[in-house]
Amino acid sequence: MDLQTFLNDFMNKDDLDLLVRDAAGLFECPAMVVDMAFHVIAWHCEPDFDDAPFRRSIQLGSLTYEAGSLLAGTDAQAQLVSPLDSPFKRRFSLLMTGGAPVGY
């Protein structure tokens, strides 16, 4: 994945799944988008990525209670957190449109 492909897909296609896949490839890490009710809207990870909370969220279609509680009260600043049940750190960022929060 390169930056030009990411930008072309972002500007020319209306496909959140593709955008999340491109972002995961560009940053070389799993990515997930959730709405304000913590429902999983889009996600991408390599097939061999093994992380129980990430997989559990995909299976449930929403963030786990633990992950949701980490986001409670989050402002627009990106936050780096380390869940107790995972060796991987998470970066949560509030997604905004027109000044209104729409997800993470």
Side-chain angles (χ1 to χ4, degrees):
M1 171 59 51
D2 59 68
L3 184 57
Q4 190 59 51
T5 301
F6 175 81
L7 291 173
N8 287 342
D9 286 348
F10 178 74
M11 298 302 288
N12 298 319
K13 298 176 183 166
D14 185 19
D15 186 338
L16 183 60
D17 289 322
L18 177 62
L19 181 62
V20 170
R21 187 196 72 202
D22 287 354
L26 186 62
F27 293 108
E28 298 179 349
C29 66
M32 181 180 289
V33 174
V34 297
D35 65 15
M36 293 306 292
F38 306 129
H39 297 122
V40 175
I41 303 303
W43 62 274
H44 181 80
C45 67
E46 294 301 318
D48 62 345
F49 179 66
D50 186 24
D51 183 65
F54 191 90
R55 295 287 181 188
R56 195 166 40 250
S57 292
I58 292 167
Q59 290 170 346
L60 294 172
S62 63
L63 291 185
T64 62
Y65 172 78
E66 293 79 12
S69 68
L70 290 172
L71 292 176
T74 300
D75 60 16
Q77 299 296 322
Q79 293 190 9
L80 188 63
V81 296
S82 298
L84 296 176
D85 53 352
S86 174
F88 301 101
K89 293 182 179 182
R90 307 302 202 262
R91 180 169 305 277
F92 292 103
S93 297
L94 186 60
L95 300 175
M96 305 279 290
T97 184
V102 295
Y104 297 91

